[in-house]
Amino acid sequence: MPMTAPASASQLDVAADLLALLRDSTTEPRPDSQLEALTLAVAADLPVLLWGEPGIGKTATLTQLAAALDLPLTTVIASVHEPSDFSGLPVVGDDPATQGVPMAPPDWAVRLVRAGRGLLFLDELSTAPPAVQAALLRLVLERRIGALRLPPGVRIVAAANPRSSAADGWELSPPLANRFVHLQWTHDHETVVRGLGGTWPRATLPRLDPRKLREAVDFARRAVCGLLAARPTLVHRLPTNETGRGGPWPSPRSWDMTLSLIAFATAAGSARDVLSSLVRGTVGDGPGLELLASLDRLDLPDPEDVLADPAGAVLPERGDLRQAVLDGVVAAVRARPDRARWDSAWAVLVRALETGAPDLVVVPATTLASLRQQDWDVPAAIDRLAGTVALSRRADRAAVASKARR
Amino acid sequence: MSTKTPGEGGHLDRDKLFAARLHAARARPYLATALFALHTVESKQVPTMAVDRHWRCYVSPAFVDRMPVEELAGVWVHEVSHLLRDHHGRGDRVARERGLTGVGDRLRMNIAADCEINDDVYGDGLVAPKGAVRPWRLRLPEGQLMEEYLSGISFGPLTLDLAWLDCGSGADGLEREWDLGPDGADSLSEQERDAVRFRVAQGIKAHPGDTPQGWRRWAEEAFHPPQPWRDLLGAALRSAVSGSGAGDDYSYGRPSRRSAGVPGAVLPSLRRRPPRVCVIIDTSGSVSDGELGSALLEVAAISHAVGGRRDLVNVLSCDAAAGVVRPLCRAEGIPLVGGGGTDLRTGFEKALRSRPRPDVVVALTDGQTPWPSARPSCRTVIGLFPRPGRSRARRENNPEYVPDSPPAWARVVEIGSANGAR
């Protein structure tokens, strides 16, 4: 009889060995723009909300992020808690009339405050009842749980299932939605297959460059203020239609968050894709895309620089951007016409013709030619633009032919 | 005048290709950004002209030689339309949803996508290239979306001559052997692609008068695709039912079960009061029974899911006068009476007077009605059946009649506006 006990224990040992083998996996470095966006938002101390179908590894990502940032992870499933867990449990003392009723915080909050730093992960946010969401509002914005205040070293990330998959979920109220950076979380097929095969990606986290900080803040301020000065209606726009509810929307608060995110992404040297998902997740698709479009224009070379040095100017490869630069150059000449600038603009056009598609040059060349004044000689370079005239004529003939064939 | 370039083994006639693009950009100024953003790649493997999802445009030199400039301009616009309308992404989605895996299915998608484009991009200064697929050639109606065309397309005598058709991976999502892939040179990143599509959509919205209906619809929906109304109605109803005073929420009325374990603490407890939903149905002649039936079933199913019981859903049919409030016990037993003009105000009055009082009122209507002037004392969701032409017809018959738009205090969901395919 005593023989059976070690036999079953050894069975468990074997099972433990098998489990250890199954968990034995390696990692490989792989760029991951989702994780980069998440890291930047967490670094910027903004609350992040991950939207994703259940079971695609949001929790695993958070574990990885906490390890990478060296922060202890505290997970709280919002939907199984009561509002008092976030607003504090009222405890009646001896003499409530004189001492008041203190709001006692739950144990995880106490531990978090004692540690002074950590990553607080609020899971299942969208399935929490409205009263719980209302209590979370204070936690997310004011960082208060009952009588406790979360120290600055604590970062907050939440996760929610999209409306379509949360069969019995509640939607996020607009005030709560406005406090988060919304990131869409999707799984990458290849990553999952390689991961199940034993190799998970190890994202290289963005590093902030200490020398770029001031420049990054300047850039971010210029980008946001430039856009909002020109488009005042973008400052505040509460979602009015059903589709926009529960998602990001522009308000002075979320623009302020956007400003921080641009500064962080710039200081980290992040790709535009990363910034795009951050900005669109903060102020919404429309205003976010307008901001990105104005950033693209900030990136284009200054027409005055191009005019000053036509030979050394670097024109963008992409046709639509290249045309924007050429139009800008011609507009600059039109604004302040003189002989030298006019000649220099022709040199820019010749260069554009030699390095890219000829049809882009036609409109700027026609406009530039119309700016000629009586005493200006036609520059020698113009001969090389003769091809564009032929091209333009050919397009005109095509237009006539199209009309005729209708 | 035109430089004769030998077609066989010859090089690409760039002047002809770009003259065509210039003509296309002049004929369709709102597409110029997108046309110029395309990177052209010369390729002898491509039968004609094809795009990939990274906004590269592969061009066969022989194809350029045999097409006249004006038709080539049409091809440019056609190819860029595939990318702007995200046919590859939508193709992938349809393939997943409907389980389409074969190469033949992708060809059908390409044909369906071509039908969606070709029914409204040509004309007005742009010539349709020879052999362009038109819906009428496949005996299909015009003005539909790729997803709708797809179910009507099968291989048969009508499609036999289309087997050569190939607009590349940008049109249907299937990688081709000539594709340079995501790592190749000159690709547009996802953010850049969105930026170009956004600029084109902004341009169209700024000058809606110059653009055909199909492009205007695209610009409206490019970044805000319509959501399936079932989800929206569900979310609206759920949030109405979950508000304070209805459904389940915390209450200090009874102590929480946890109280025993935390002596001295006063805790609220979760209490559920099943929500009562009253559905007002507009039975004026303009709403079809099929639409009403599906919307009503949806309301019943959602209220069931949030904890209500079938017997707590009441139905009230209403035209100019309100009918009797009846419980919805069986889906098929809904008595819909009426058929004249509509005045939902009497319906609201009757619904709010019914005992026990409803927590939520759902009005299913086409919106051609006067609305109550004050906010009702309970939450309101309006399911609106869109009627684009009808309102104008009524106004012409009766110039004094001005239908009010749904009031701001209600949550409005357009029913049947999206088929859920996108």
Side-chain angles (χ1 to χ4, degrees), chain B residues 123-155:
Chain B
D124 196 17
L126 213 57
V127 178
K130 233 174 270 126
V133 191
R134 290 295 185 79
W136 54 262
R137 274 183 54 190
L138 307 175
R139 306 207 182 114
L140 293 169
E142 304 227 323
Q144 290 190 316
L145 296 176
M146 185 259 265
E147 289 84 352
E148 293 163 314
Y149 281 124
L150 186 59
S151 43
I153 293 171
S154 56
F155 293 113

Side-chain angles (χ1 to χ4, degrees), chain A residues 80-85 89-93 129-132 163-164 166-171 231 242-243 245 272-273 276 280 285-287 289-290 292-293 296-297 317-321 323-324 353 356-360 362-363 387 391-403 405-406, chain B residues 1-3 13-16 18-19 21-23 26 32-33 36-37 39 68-71 123-128 130 186 188-192 194-196 198-199 202 223-227 231-232 235-236 238-239 242 248-250 252 256 258 262-268 270 305 411-413:
Chain A
V80 301
H81 280 265
E82 300 186 349
S84 47
D85 290 345
L89 303 144
V91 180
V92 182
V132 174
R163 266 206 308 217
S164 54
D168 53 349
W170 316 93
E171 67 180 6
R231 301 288 316 274
E242 280 299 317
T243 29
R245 271 173 203 267
R272 219 14 102 63
D273 277 342
S276 165
R280 290 165 69 175
D285 269 345
L289 283 161
E290 290 211 25
L292 292 162
D296 281 341
R297 286 196 289 278
E317 279 296 312
R318 235 174 79 193
D320 54 328
L321 298 181
Q323 184 158 51
L353 187 66
D359 52 340
L360 302 173
V362 172
V363 175
L391 193 79
S392 177
R393 286 212 187 104
R394 205 167 173 183
D396 291 341
R397 278 201 304 277
V400 173
S402 304
K403 287 233 164 53
R405 281 175 54 166
R406 279 207 66 209
Chain B
M1 278 291 279
S2 66
T3 44
D13 185 352
R14 280 167 53 88
D15 280 353
K16 186 172 180 183
F18 289 121
R21 183 162 80 168
L22 187 63
H23 169 46
R26 283 175 179 170
T33 305
F36 291 147
H39 278 289
V69 178
E70 57 270 23
E71 287 186 27
D124 196 17
L126 213 57
V127 178
K130 233 174 270 126
D186 294 339
L188 258 62
S189 72
E190 197 182 338
Q191 188 266 324
E192 290 171 317
D194 278 355
V196 171
F198 181 72
R199 287 201 58 188
Q202 290 291 94
F223 288 93
H224 299 285
Q227 287 202 359
D231 288 357
L232 293 175
R238 219 174 273 136
S239 104
S242 70
D248 49 357
D249 206 348
Y250 286 89
Y252 284 92
S256 162
R258 274 191 189 179
V262 196
V266 182
L267 300 175
L270 191 59
R411 298 190 54 164
V412 182
V413 177

Side-chain angles (χ1 to χ4, degrees), chain B residues 53 84 101 124 151 172 176 192 194 205 210 255 289 313 372 422:
Chain B
R53 59 178 73 216
L84 284 172
T101 47
D124 196 17
S151 43
D172 53 21
R176 304 296 205 276
E192 290 171 317
D194 278 355
K205 279 190 208 166
D210 314 339
D289 285 359
V313 180
R422 281 195 176 184

Side-chain angles (χ1 to χ4, degrees), chain B residues 340-363:
Chain B
T342 323
D343 187 351
L344 280 189
R345 287 177 299 191
T346 57
F348 270 95
E349 244 168 65
K350 196 147 207 171
L352 294 171
R353 270 209 314 270
S354 66
R355 292 286 171 262
R357 281 199 41 212
D359 295 307
V360 180
V361 170
V362 179

Side-chain angles (χ1 to χ4, degrees), chain B residues 23 48 114 118 139 164 223 252 256 309 345 370 398 406 409:
Chain B
H23 169 46
T48 53
D114 279 10
N118 290 350
R139 306 207 182 114
W164 58 267
F223 288 93
Y252 284 92
S256 162
R309 302 189 304 263
R345 287 177 299 191
N398 178 6
W409 38 257

Side-chain angles (χ1 to χ4, degrees), chain A residues 369-383:
Chain A
S370 70
L371 296 177
R372 187 174 87 92
Q373 296 186 2
Q374 294 268 308
D375 51 334
W376 294 355
D377 295 334
V378 176
I382 215 161
D383 286 348

Side-chain angles (χ1 to χ4, degrees), chain A residues 183-252:
Chain A
L183 292 181
Q184 302 297 328
W185 212 256
T186 52
H187 71 270
D188 177 27
H189 178 74
E190 197 191 336
T191 308
V192 171
V193 172
R194 266 191 80 73
L196 292 176
T199 314
W200 289 101
R202 182 181 66 246
T204 41
L205 296 173
R207 298 228 160 269
L208 301 174
D209 185 347
R211 287 163 302 171
K212 282 196 193 161
L213 300 186
R214 185 153 298 281
E215 175 198 334
V217 172
D218 286 348
F219 177 73
R221 292 211 166 119
R222 201 152 37 107
V224 171
C225 300
L227 177 71
L228 293 187
R231 301 288 316 274
T233 54
L234 288 182
V235 173
H236 191 271
R237 203 185 272 172
L238 205 87
T240 50
N241 59 353
E242 280 299 317
T243 29
R245 271 173 203 267
W249 53 277
S251 75

